[in-house]
Amino acid sequence: MKLKSRMILILGFMALVQSGLVGLFAVHYLRQSLDEQIGQRAVDVAKTIAITPGIIKAVEQRDSSLLQPISLAYAAQTHARFVVFGDKAGFRLAHPKIEKIGHSMADDDGDDNSPALVKGQVYLSKALGSMGWSVRGKAPIFSDEGAIVGLVSVGYDLMRVEQVIQRYSLTLIAVIVASFILSVFIAVFFANHFKKAIFGLEPEQIAHRFNEQKATLESVREGIIAINSDGKITTVNRAAIETFALPEGLELIGKSIEEVLPDSTMLEVLRTGIPQYDQEAWIQNHSIIANRLPLKQGDEITGVVSSFRRKDELAQVSKKLTRIQQYADTLRSQSHEYSNKLHTIAGLIQIGASDQALALIGQEAQSHQELINLLLEAVPDPILAGCLLGKYNRAREMGLKLIIDPDSHMAELPESLPRENLVSIIGNLIDNALEATREQCGEGGEVHLSMTDLGDDLIFEVEDQGPGISPELQDIIFEKGVSSKEREGHGFGLHLVKKLLDNLGGTVTVEPADKLGSRFIVYIPKQPSHN
């Protein structure tokens, strides 16, 4: 059943129940109130008649001929159904039905009238008598000496009460029907409004999506925390709890983010509405990389959601990807180069130039062996050595030469230096040098690399044979999007080099080479400074 149908039935049923209960209460209260009013009126009329001097004298004398017309007159004047007089023995002296005169009043309703005739009390009774259902007020009649000489009974027909109740019942039924119709309109309005607020989804669909979202949040490796406009936590997944080593079983929903993570800047995003992307932060003794986005409903900020992961985990992933990329570049370059060499050697053998083929094989083997021996001796770190070997093969693939200074020495790489950052710095500088050299010199151009770890810094020099850098670009060459090349897609490599060096506490300078091109010099401290 659709939500709209359910709301119509529920609100309609509630309206019927509420209106019915109110109607029953109103009818009961009205009947009780009318009974009390009529009864009180019967008592008041009976007490008034009982103290009338002429009535007292006629009752003492048992003068029915006088009392009969008086009782009918009183009944007409007070709109009573009957006014009956009785003597001190309880026998009728006047009655609307003449044949009842002289008979006991007890044969009418079973009431012996003792409260009035014996105790002298005024009282009220309801009974089915010879005149039908009526409420009766009975009062004793006292003589001048104070003796009880008789009583008067004034009765009002209860059918009038039922007629009034019936008339009001019809009104109540009309009100109940109107309430039901109104509740249907209200249900339709609220159902449409509610459906719009929940994007037209049914409650079961919302429950399904909630469970689906919960399972999704728990399945992701990143920690996720969301807060509302009051800074209270509304969502947190297990990865977030494990990242910050929060106590198991601690109820976090509803707690202030300041209470759980005092160092978080989510409240700043909540206040300013400015998102934060890939922000490095130190929270709960953990270095994390976080993204924080404001949640908006229209122009109003209703909360903030933050996703984060520990930096060391990202560093491990980045290191693996860097190694894979280096291996792939090296294999691709070597495959392409050796394919060309094999075709050349095959051609020499086919034309009978065996000596030249053997000489080429020996030259290639000697060249690679010299490079490998140099890297093994000068660069024992496998990641940096693999990077340089890959760039060497790429240079040969481009028809260029990457010449590594045989006096280079880079054996004291500190363990704290991120290798992926180091190969990104050196790799970008060499790639830029190769492109600039090929653009200026074509095939046969040279790029020189020298390295040293003497002193407190690691120093790398990359020299190309490119067109050089114009004076107006000298001071801005490391800014994002700035390049000496006019083609699109450049101006990011040197900016990345500068950014990585800033994180490592290092520097990079550029100067004209001795003959042609530019020389980039990189300084990386072995012991980074801590601010």
Side-chain angles (χ1 to χ4, degrees):
M1 189 178 292
K2 298 294 184 180
L3 177 63
K4 182 183 292 187
S5 302
R6 277 185 278 186
M7 291 190 70
I8 291 174
L9 288 178
I10 292 173
L11 290 180
F13 177 74
M14 290 179 61
L16 287 175
V17 170
Q18 290 177 349
S19 300
L21 291 176
V22 171
L24 290 176
F25 172 78
V27 169
H28 174 75
Y29 180 79
L30 181 61
R31 177 178 280 110
Q32 186 177 15
S33 178
L34 289 175
D35 284 351
E36 290 179 356
Q37 290 181 13
I38 294 176
Q40 186 63 43
R41 183 175 183 181
V43 169
D44 292 341
V45 172
K47 289 167 62 178
T48 302
I49 294 175
I51 60 174
T52 303
I55 298 299
I56 296 173
K57 185 176 181 181
V59 170
E60 284 181 324
Q61 296 175 355
R62 295 178 54 83
D63 189 353
S64 295
S65 59
L66 177 62
L67 293 173
Q68 179 66 17
I70 292 177
S71 68
L72 296 176
Y74 273 129
Q77 292 175 2
T78 60
H79 303 287
R81 186 168 187 180
F82 59 83
V83 175
V84 176
F85 293 101
D87 60 14
K88 60 181 179 180
F91 290 97
R92 297 186 186 92
L93 299 177
H95 192 276
K97 296 181 178 180
I98 298 176
E99 65 272 14
K100 293 286 185 177
I101 298 175
H103 296 278
S104 174
M105 297 176 68
D107 65 5
D108 193 15
D109 55 9
D111 183 9
D112 61 1
N113 304 302
S114 58
L117 295 177
V118 177
K119 300 179 181 179
Q121 297 176 348
V122 178
Y123 70 99
L124 185 68
S125 70
K126 184 187 295 184
L128 176 63
S130 60
M131 301 293 291
W133 276 102
S134 60
V135 58
R136 308 169 181 193
K138 298 185 179 184
I141 299 175
F142 295 93
S143 64
D144 294 338
E145 292 77 17
I148 298 175
V149 296
L151 79 161
V152 58
S153 175
V154 179
Y156 282 89
D157 191 356
L158 288 180
M159 289 300 296
R160 290 188 178 182
V161 175
E162 295 302 325
Q163 291 172 356
V164 173
I165 296 298
Q166 186 176 5
R167 186 170 66 252
Y168 277 99
S169 296
L170 294 175
T171 303
L172 288 174
I173 291 174
V175 171
I176 290 174
V177 173
S179 298
F180 176 76
I181 296 174
L182 179 62
S183 68
V184 170
F185 282 105
I186 293 174
V188 172
F189 172 78
F190 276 106
N192 291 333
H193 178 76
F194 192 66
K195 291 274 284 186
K196 183 179 179 181
I198 59 177
F199 306 102
L201 298 174
E202 296 294 326
E204 292 78 10
Q205 293 176 312
I206 295 175
H208 175 73
R209 294 199 178 188
F210 174 79
N211 291 329
E212 187 179 75
Q213 181 193 46
K214 185 176 180 181
T216 302
L217 288 176
E218 294 300 333
S219 66
V220 298
R221 294 287 301 276
E222 287 192 339
I224 297 176
I225 294 180
I227 61 174
N228 58 17
S229 58
D230 297 324
K232 306 291 185 181
I233 296 176
T234 57
T235 302
V236 58
N237 66 348
R238 177 162 294 278
I241 296 175
E242 293 175 351
T243 298
F244 296 122
L246 298 174
E248 289 289 339
L250 178 64
E251 182 59 42
L252 298 176
I253 304 300
K255 287 186 176 293
S256 172
I257 189 66
E258 288 184 316
E259 180 182 348
V260 179
L261 299 174
D263 301 325
S264 174
T265 60
M266 294 180 70
L267 292 179
E268 179 182 345
V269 177
L270 182 65
R271 185 180 67 257
T272 62
I274 301 175
Q276 298 176 354
Y277 297 102
D278 298 326
Q279 295 290 313
E280 183 175 352
W282 188 262
I283 301 177
Q284 296 286 78
N285 298 322
H286 295 291
S287 180
I288 66 169
I289 302 297
N291 294 285
R292 305 179 182 94
L293 299 176
L295 301 175
K296 293 185 177 181
Q297 188 169 358
D299 295 330
E300 182 183 358
I301 300 175
T302 59
V304 176
V305 61
S306 174
S307 62
F308 48 86
R309 197 163 184 177
R310 289 177 59 170
K311 185 179 179 182
D312 53 359
E313 294 181 3
L314 295 176
Q316 292 176 4
V317 175
S318 178
K319 186 181 296 184
K320 292 179 181 179
L321 292 176
T322 301
R323 288 179 180 176
I324 293 172
Q325 183 65 41
Q326 293 298 331
Y327 295 152
D329 289 343
T330 301
L331 291 174
R332 181 176 58 82
S333 298
Q334 288 182 344
S335 174
H336 185 75
E337 181 184 359
Y338 283 120
S339 177
N340 292 333
K341 299 300 181 183
L342 286 174
H343 285 93
T344 302
I345 293 171
L348 290 173
I349 293 174
Q350 288 177 358
I351 63 176
S354 302
D355 293 338
Q356 289 84 348
L358 291 173
L360 181 58
I361 294 172
Q363 179 184 351
E364 289 300 316
Q366 181 182 0
S367 175
H368 274 81
Q369 190 60 46
E370 288 177 355
L371 176 63
I372 291 173
N373 290 337
L374 172 61
L375 293 177
L376 288 175
E377 181 180 352
V379 188
D381 186 86
I383 297 179
L384 180 57
C387 172
L388 297 179
L389 182 59
K391 298 305 177 184
Y392 175 84
N393 291 325
R394 183 168 187 269
R396 298 192 63 176
E397 182 183 341
M398 297 170 66
L400 305 174
K401 294 180 181 179
L402 174 61
I403 301 175
I404 300 178
D405 189 345
D407 295 329
S408 294
H409 189 269
M410 190 57 63
E412 297 183 8
L413 292 179
E415 292 293 332
S416 61
L417 177 62
R419 298 301 190 267
E420 65 276 7
N421 291 353
L422 178 61
V423 297
S424 293
I425 294 170
I426 303 305
N428 273 289
L429 290 177
I430 294 176
D431 286 340
N432 281 354
L434 292 174
E435 290 184 12
T437 300
R438 184 174 63 175
E439 182 178 346
Q440 183 69 22
C441 301
E443 293 189 6
E446 297 178 352
V447 173
H448 293 263
L449 170 66
S450 63
M451 304 171 286
T452 179
D453 56 3
L454 298 178
D456 296 329
D457 295 328
L458 306 176
I459 303 176
F460 299 84
E461 292 187 11
V462 179
E463 182 176 326
D464 62 49
Q465 294 179 341
I469 299 174
S470 61
E472 59 270 16
L473 295 179
Q474 288 280 349
D475 296 331
I476 61 173
I477 191 63
F478 295 104
E479 294 183 7
K480 188 175 182 179
V482 177
S483 174
S484 60
K485 305 177 183 66
E486 297 181 357
R487 300 187 302 274
E488 294 184 0
H490 292 80
F492 298 97
L494 292 179
H495 173 71
L496 177 61
V497 168
K498 182 67 167 59
K499 185 175 180 180
L500 292 173
L501 285 171
D502 289 342
N503 293 335
L504 297 175
T507 58
V508 58
T509 61
V510 59
E511 59 186 33
D514 294 337
K515 297 180 181 179
L516 181 66
S518 303
R519 181 186 298 113
F520 288 83
I521 306 173
V522 172
Y523 302 88
I524 302 176
K526 295 180 181 179
Q527 299 294 332
S529 59
H530 297 280
N531 296 330

